[in-house]
Amino acid sequence: MEHLSFLDLIRDDLERVENLLRERPPGQHEAIGVAVDHLVDGGGKRVRPALVLLSTHFCGADVDKAIFAAAAVELLHTATLIHDDLIDGSLMRRGAQTLNAHWSPGATVLAGDYVFAHAAHLASRSGSTLLMQCFSETLMTICNGEVRQMFDGHRNQTSREEYEQRIHAKTASLISMSAQAGAILAQVETEKREALKIYGEQLGLVFQIVDDVLDFVADERVLGKPVGSDLRQGLVTLPVLLFLEDNPDHPAVCQALEGNSSDKVAREAIQAIAGSPAIERALAAAQEHADQAKAALSELSHSSYRAALLALVDFTVRRRF
Amino acid sequence: MEHLSFLDLIRDDLERVENLLRERPPGQHEAIGVAVDHLVDGGGKRVRPALVLLSTHFCGADVDKAIFAAAAVELLHTATLIHDDLIDGSLMRRGAQTLNAHWSPGATVLAGDYVFAHAAHLASRSGSTLLMQCFSETLMTICNGEVRQMFDGHRNQTSREEYEQRIHAKTASLISMSAQAGAILAQVETEKREALKIYGEQLGLVFQIVDDVLDFVADERVLGKPVGSDLRQGLVTLPVLLFLEDNPDHPAVCQALEGNSSDKVAREAIQAIAGSPAIERALAAAQEHADQAKAALSELSHSSYRAALLALVDFTVRRRF
């Protein structure tokens, strides 16, 4: 996200967030420090901190406090990735080895827990118990969504509604919380916070749908992990759902979703979906959510920060990495 | 702890904490609810909530806020147990199956994460960002201690200092935080908070040393898990340390600490330690910490709550379950 002009407004703030992310709390074990640095340096697009900061300026909240909230949401996201990769057995993320690829499961669990704690500590330094409440509710939503997927997921039988519920919990909840952060810190009127909440939820859906599309069509080198990872794990995302609407009995796709298909069958399934109209249809769905995200802000006062929030939506729906 | 007279002062408050522990946040997946109820019903002595409440009354803090802090520390403790049992592969705790005994590792990780989030949410409802900071710092200390043990633990070569550092992180840090909760909520003068901090740290050391002794000498039915669990996992606790001072080359004990010894050798090692003077010496060490815990409160104003805090120390050093 380095060359995006809509981030110019918060360039200095983002720099401060980077410094916070690299801060090592007193007594932190060297191994955790190295692991977290590796994850933080590994990049990520810093969408969540950017949202916290744009929301902060847009709502006139205290930037010094928001810096902590911005670092907190990024570390919360990092912690969930540590545990997710362990649970999914993923070995690569953003072009680098995951922690569980070279640490024991036990050490990986503890590292994730530590990062959760560090994130909560940063959130508390924002000085807002309301923000802390929202922060912990969001983590509950994320975990709850994953437990639901684990216990109730029926692979082939996922409905569009279940998919949206899942990506709401997994991605949109934290992006929405980030978008609301400024409104929470500045204690603005309910309408403005509600507008930012809807904006964030819709933006989060865009973000995840585009991710799910890129999982099929992106260049592996750009993606930083094998193409079709979700399908290989039997996870039904929007491109798969839409493909199955037109091809309910496609042999390779159905086999791949059953799990334990050969690599050849998985590749065949991925190619079939990547080359189908399901991709464009999924991107059209993302565009619809993008339009709703922008509409949510239409009643709010115009400012350069509102413009940046709108530009972030356009960037998210168009991004190809 | 039901028939302990020093808890009479906070009986109603503890009842309110129990209700909070059984509250199901909106949207919580049924499976998580059942799992958490199982853990919460499984008992535990509620030492941490009792400390929060005694500290609250002793410092004149707002009891309505403290209820949340008390439930938060108990759930934080519960969450760490969920992950610990998974990491250690423990199948029994307090006479009941652990969560990982019947859930997949992934689901167990998520359940623990959810309980962390719920604990953080309860802590935020106390309305004190200072408490939230202390809460998250404590979780960092706990995780950090476990990571240190995992990366730097050298079984046979554990020193007394390393042992105390480890049980400080594992147990005393959260017990100390609980003892300070009232001082934090009431924002009392530094001296009083510092006294409660030292009291809690020393009480926490007593608590863990007695636990480590009971792991050798308790009745399995009362203990609710196999005797000698720590030794079987190669963990050097104070009774082992003191035993090795007198018997540095004891074959069964040395073999057991190497791990993967036969059950026969492990039983022999456990019996050797349980029948040795190391047990009494460990209890004497616990008594020393108990004396220091009580001394920490000696300068503070006398009250029925101070008396209860002192009685809790006596109970902890004498308990046999």
Side-chain angles (χ1 to χ4, degrees):
Chain A
M1 310 247 289
E2 276 186 17
H3 307 294
L4 300 170
S5 59
F6 60 86
L7 293 183
D8 286 343
L9 295 164
I10 51 168
R11 197 72 62 188
D12 293 345
D13 305 335
L14 281 170
E15 190 60 38
R16 291 174 68 192
V17 173
E18 289 299 313
N19 292 337
L20 268 184
L21 291 173
R22 281 168 180 76
E23 225 179 48
R24 295 206 180 177
Q28 186 191 61
H29 192 282
E30 178 64 17
I32 295 182
V34 171
V36 173
D37 281 357
H38 173 75
L39 287 158
V40 166
D41 291 338
K45 292 172 279 293
R46 307 284 194 259
V47 169
R48 294 161 191 82
L51 272 170
V52 170
L53 294 166
L54 289 173
S55 163
T56 293
H57 285 288
F58 186 45
C59 296
D62 183 337
V63 178
D64 290 341
K65 291 181 175 172
I67 299 293
F68 292 110
V73 294
E74 186 67 11
L75 275 194
L76 178 63
H77 175 57
T78 303
T80 62
L81 296 184
I82 293 173
H83 282 179
D84 281 356
D85 287 339
L86 172 68
I87 293 167
D88 297 341
S90 306
L91 303 177
M92 296 289 286
R93 175 178 292 276
R94 298 172 187 157
Q97 277 200 322
T98 57
L99 196 56
N100 52 290
H102 50 112
W103 276 25
S104 70
T108 307
V109 170
L110 290 173
D113 291 351
Y114 183 91
V115 180
F116 276 130
H118 191 188
H121 192 251
L122 284 165
S124 71
R125 287 166 76 189
S126 74
S128 162
T129 50
L130 206 58
L131 187 104
M132 289 294 317
Q133 274 186 42
C134 197
F135 178 89
S136 46
E137 274 168 15
T138 304
L139 179 54
M140 285 158 83
T141 300
I142 294 171
C143 298
N144 206 48
E146 293 194 67
V147 168
R148 187 184 300 122
Q149 182 186 329
M150 202 171 264
F151 282 87
D152 308 338
H154 299 296
R155 295 162 180 265
N156 288 9
Q157 292 152 39
T158 308
S159 69
R160 179 83 176 250
E161 195 189 330
E162 283 164 343
Y163 169 75
E164 294 219 343
Q165 195 182 40
R166 188 174 78 215
I167 69 173
H168 166 78
K170 176 182 174 179
T171 305
S173 62
L174 185 54
I175 289 191
S176 179
M177 193 230 134
S178 303
Q180 291 171 71
I184 295 170
L185 291 172
Q187 299 184 281
V188 298
E189 66 277 26
T190 317
E191 290 73 20
K192 191 164 186 176
R193 177 170 170 188
E194 191 58 31
L196 283 163
K197 181 183 172 186
I198 296 169
Y199 161 86
E201 278 171 356
Q202 295 298 321
L203 176 64
L205 298 178
V206 176
F207 193 86
Q208 189 57 51
I209 292 173
V210 172
D211 242 23
D212 291 344
V213 167
L214 291 177
D215 193 46
F216 284 99
V217 300
D219 186 315
E220 276 195 11
R221 283 163 304 178
V222 180
L223 200 59
K225 62 180 180 181
V227 168
S229 306
D230 292 334
L231 186 74
R232 288 170 200 266
Q233 287 175 13
L235 192 68
V236 176
T237 59
L238 190 56
V240 184
L241 267 179
L242 297 174
F243 181 85
L244 286 173
E245 277 181 15
D246 292 335
N247 315 273
D249 304 312
H250 191 281
V253 173
C254 292
Q255 240 181 293
L257 286 176
E258 288 302 321
N260 57 44
S261 63
S262 69
D263 186 59
K264 186 167 167 286
V265 169
R267 283 182 182 276
E268 195 186 320
I270 292 161
Q271 276 182 2
I273 294 168
S276 79
I279 296 299
E280 279 311 312
R281 286 175 63 200
L283 288 174
Q287 184 62 54
E288 275 176 40
H289 289 296
D291 294 341
Q292 287 181 52
K294 290 160 112 181
L297 301 189
S298 61
E299 298 289 308
L300 303 184
S301 59
H302 290 231
S303 78
S304 54
Y305 295 105
R306 198 188 83 124
L309 287 167
L310 296 174
L312 181 55
V313 177
D314 290 330
F315 161 75
T316 304
V317 81
R318 277 200 302 261
R319 78 196 168 90
R320 290 299 170 263
F321 61 91
Chain B
M1 309 247 292
E2 276 188 15
H3 307 294
L4 301 170
S5 58
F6 60 87
L7 293 184
D8 285 344
L9 295 164
I10 51 167
R11 197 73 62 189
D12 293 345
D13 305 335
L14 280 171
E15 190 61 36
R16 291 175 67 193
V17 173
E18 290 299 314
N19 292 337
L20 267 185
L21 291 173
R22 281 169 179 76
E23 224 178 48
R24 295 207 179 175
Q28 187 190 62
H29 193 280
E30 178 64 17
I32 296 181
V34 172
V36 173
D37 281 357
H38 172 76
L39 287 158
V40 166
D41 291 339
K45 292 171 280 292
R46 306 284 193 259
V47 170
R48 295 160 192 82
L51 272 170
V52 170
L53 295 165
L54 290 173
S55 163
T56 293
H57 286 287
F58 185 45
C59 296
D62 182 336
V63 178
D64 290 339
K65 290 181 175 173
I67 299 293
F68 292 110
V73 295
E74 186 66 12
L75 275 194
L76 178 62
H77 175 58
T78 304
T80 62
L81 296 184
I82 293 174
H83 282 180
D84 281 357
D85 287 338
L86 173 68
I87 292 168
D88 297 341
S90 306
L91 303 177
M92 295 291 285
R93 175 179 291 276
R94 298 172 187 157
Q97 277 200 321
T98 57
L99 195 55
N100 52 290
H102 51 111
W103 276 26
S104 71
T108 307
V109 170
L110 289 172
D113 291 351
Y114 183 91
V115 180
F116 276 131
H118 192 188
H121 192 250
L122 285 164
S124 71
R125 287 165 75 188
S126 75
S128 161
T129 50
L130 206 57
L131 187 106
M132 288 295 317
Q133 274 186 41
C134 198
F135 178 90
S136 46
E137 273 167 15
T138 305
L139 179 54
M140 284 158 82
T141 300
I142 294 171
C143 298
N144 205 48
E146 292 194 67
V147 168
R148 188 185 299 119
Q149 182 185 328
M150 201 171 266
F151 281 87
D152 309 337
H154 298 296
R155 296 161 180 266
N156 288 9
Q157 294 152 37
T158 307
S159 69
R160 178 81 175 251
E161 195 190 330
E162 282 165 343
Y163 169 74
E164 294 219 343
Q165 195 182 41
R166 188 175 76 215
I167 70 173
H168 166 77
K170 177 183 173 178
T171 305
S173 61
L174 185 54
I175 289 191
S176 180
M177 193 228 133
S178 304
Q180 290 171 72
I184 295 170
L185 290 173
Q187 298 184 282
V188 298
E189 66 277 26
T190 317
E191 291 73 20
K192 192 164 187 177
R193 178 172 168 185
E194 190 58 29
L196 283 163
K197 180 183 173 184
I198 295 169
Y199 162 85
E201 277 170 358
Q202 295 297 321
L203 176 64
L205 298 177
V206 176
F207 193 87
Q208 189 57 51
I209 292 172
V210 172
D211 241 24
D212 291 343
V213 167
L214 292 176
D215 193 46
F216 284 99
V217 301
D219 187 314
E220 275 196 13
R221 282 163 305 181
V222 180
L223 200 59
K225 61 179 180 181
V227 168
S229 304
D230 291 335
L231 187 73
R232 289 170 200 265
Q233 286 175 13
L235 193 68
V236 176
T237 58
L238 190 56
V240 183
L241 266 179
L242 297 173
F243 181 86
L244 286 173
E245 278 180 14
D246 292 336
N247 314 272
D249 304 312
H250 191 282
V253 173
C254 291
Q255 239 181 294
L257 286 176
E258 289 300 321
N260 56 45
S261 63
S262 68
D263 186 60
K264 186 167 167 287
V265 169
R267 282 183 182 278
E268 194 186 320
I270 293 161
Q271 276 182 3
I273 295 169
S276 78
I279 296 299
E280 279 312 312
R281 286 174 64 201
L283 288 174
Q287 185 61 55
E288 274 176 41
H289 288 296
D291 294 341
Q292 287 180 52
K294 289 160 114 179
L297 301 189
S298 61
E299 300 289 309
L300 303 184
S301 58
H302 290 231
S303 78
S304 56
Y305 295 104
R306 198 187 82 125
L309 287 168
L310 296 174
L312 180 55
V313 177
D314 290 331
F315 161 76
T316 303
V317 80
R318 278 200 302 261
R319 76 195 170 91
R320 290 298 171 263
F321 61 91

